[in-house]
Amino acid sequence: MTQYEGDFRGSNFGNAPGSNFGHAPGSTFHGVVNTGGPQQEELRRLLDQLVAMVARHQNELADPQGTSTAVELLREEVAGEQRPNRLTSFLAMLTASAGGVSAITEAAAKLKDLVTGML
């Protein structure tokens, strides 16, 4: 079996017509969100909106430190490999630490919908 390593950012391993990605037992496959094009710009735009909402509602947060940590993790993930499961996990962490601030919940939901659509 041949093993390939390298930087595959910008590659789209998803629902491409004619694609059939299988793997042998014991092997793993990690999906990566496509890092180019209009979806990437939208991802960054929505993240900026979410960060602005967090800053605007700082005094209303249930867990300000947890929210700040989640925002930083999201920023790092968007700037890096962009593993969808980590992005959605960080969004869930942010939503939980924001408490009942609906503006943050709504901004996080938009970002999550985009990430889900990029898979």
Side-chain angles (χ1 to χ4, degrees):
M1 181 162 111
T2 305
Q3 182 175 2
Y4 296 95
E5 293 184 25
D7 185 358
F8 297 101
R9 289 181 220 185
S11 299
N12 186 359
F13 302 101
N15 297 322
S19 296
N20 185 9
F21 293 98
H23 59 275
S27 65
T28 59
F29 177 79
H30 299 281
V32 177
V33 173
N34 190 342
T35 60
Q39 287 181 326
Q40 182 63 23
E41 291 173 22
E42 181 70 1
L43 181 68
R44 288 192 175 121
R45 186 184 70 75
L46 289 175
L47 180 58
D48 288 345
Q49 285 180 353
L50 179 60
V51 170
M53 286 296 154
V54 168
R56 188 173 300 135
H57 296 280
Q58 189 70 30
N59 294 331
E60 302 169 45
L61 300 174
D63 178 7
Q65 182 60 40
T67 304
S68 295
T69 299
V71 165
E72 186 58 35
L73 292 170
L74 278 165
R75 284 182 170 172
E76 289 174 9
E77 194 67 22
V78 167
E81 194 173 330
Q82 298 183 7
R83 296 161 291 199
N85 59 335
R86 289 180 57 95
L87 284 167
T88 55
S89 176
F90 297 150
L91 286 167
M93 177 195 309
L94 185 140
T95 302
S97 61
V101 181
S102 62
I104 294 174
T105 303
E106 290 168 11
K110 287 179 186 177
L111 193 55
K112 184 178 179 182
D113 288 345
L114 179 65
V115 170
T116 300
M118 292 172 77
L119 296 176

